[in-house]
Amino acid sequence: MNFRKLLPWIVGIGLVLIIAFWVIGIKNTGLQMNQAVNKEWGNVQTTYQRRNDLIGNLVNTVKGAADFEKSTLTAVIEARAKATSITIDPTNVTPQQLAAFNSAQSGVSSSLSKLLVSVERYPELKANENFLKLQDELASTENQILTARTRFNEAVQGYNGYVLAIPQSWFLSYKEKPYFEAVQGADKPVEVKF
């Protein structure tokens, strides 16, 4: 056999293999980035779950104060229930779903803030060691939530930048994922009343 006759076939097969491995690399990288976003979403949910667990303990501790405002406790319990009822599949998350989740979590933060402000009128509760520990744990958890949301947004940025760019978008069927955004009105200063 003449080598010159085989050369076009060898070059053609080589090009097909190079293109095949290139496409496989694009698909594998897209899959890894999608999994990174899903992992970060799991971290976000874990921190919110931690907060919800702490809120249950905080509410039970506050209930011990005999004349504590029932409406404040009820608001916290209802906001927590609403927030835990919203579930999101990170593989198909839409901006609307993320906004609803964010809004529900904002309701928890708001009612929790009102609870902690109203506690100031109860010196026996403020001196309760369990309450003080829970309050510290909640503050720490809020920082963890901020960190988890920031890392989620960073993972989404990398993912969106990769799957929406050409030529990856030609080979990938992944959709753009939404970012966490600030709750409406978060840009306005908080009014503090004493």
Side-chain angles (χ1 to χ4, degrees):
M1 260 201 166
N2 190 348
F3 180 71
R4 289 184 182 247
K5 288 183 180 180
L6 290 177
L7 186 61
W9 286 99
I10 293 171
V11 170
I13 291 171
L15 282 173
V16 167
L17 286 174
I18 289 171
I19 291 171
F21 284 119
W22 178 66
V23 171
I24 289 169
I26 287 174
K27 290 194 175 267
N28 285 341
T29 302
L31 177 66
Q32 290 170 351
M33 294 184 128
N34 188 46
Q35 291 300 309
V37 170
N38 293 346
K39 178 189 132 251
E40 292 303 334
W41 178 250
N43 292 341
V44 168
Q45 288 182 311
T46 300
T47 54
Y48 277 119
Q49 182 61 51
R50 174 178 159 77
R51 179 174 74 173
N52 287 333
D53 293 345
L54 287 171
I55 288 171
N57 293 335
L58 186 70
V59 166
N60 289 334
T61 302
V62 171
K63 277 183 184 176
D67 58 346
F68 197 82
E69 295 95 4
K70 300 291 184 223
S71 62
T72 306
L73 285 175
T74 303
V76 171
I77 293 167
E78 288 173 357
R80 179 179 172 227
K82 181 179 178 188
T84 57
S85 70
I86 296 177
T87 56
I88 293 179
D89 175 9
T91 58
N92 295 319
V93 65
T94 65
Q96 296 79 12
Q97 289 173 326
L98 199 56
F101 180 84
N102 205 16
S103 176
Q105 295 300 334
S106 174
V108 172
S109 296
S110 175
S111 61
L112 190 57
S113 295
K114 290 175 187 167
L115 173 70
L116 294 176
V117 166
S118 63
V119 161
E120 293 298 318
R121 292 178 273 185
Y122 296 88
E124 71 280 356
L125 193 53
K126 285 178 19 182
N128 182 316
E129 191 175 319
N130 287 339
F131 178 79
L132 294 175
K133 283 181 186 177
L134 287 168
Q135 202 172 12
D136 287 344
E137 286 291 320
L138 276 170
S140 170
T141 300
E142 291 299 325
N143 288 332
Q144 290 174 8
I145 288 170
L146 173 64
T147 300
R149 287 172 57 146
T150 301
R151 288 181 180 157
F152 174 79
N153 280 349
E154 290 169 353
V156 167
Q157 179 186 18
Y159 167 87
N160 285 346
Y162 185 79
V163 301
L164 298 175
I166 294 176
Q168 293 89 294
S169 63
W170 296 341
F171 300 101
L172 299 174
S173 60
Y174 295 123
K175 295 178 184 164
E176 181 177 10
K177 294 189 186 285
Y179 294 95
F180 262 109
E181 295 179 2
V183 178
Q184 194 170 8
D187 57 336
K188 295 179 176 57
V190 177
E191 183 181 328
V192 178
K193 296 179 183 177
F194 292 101

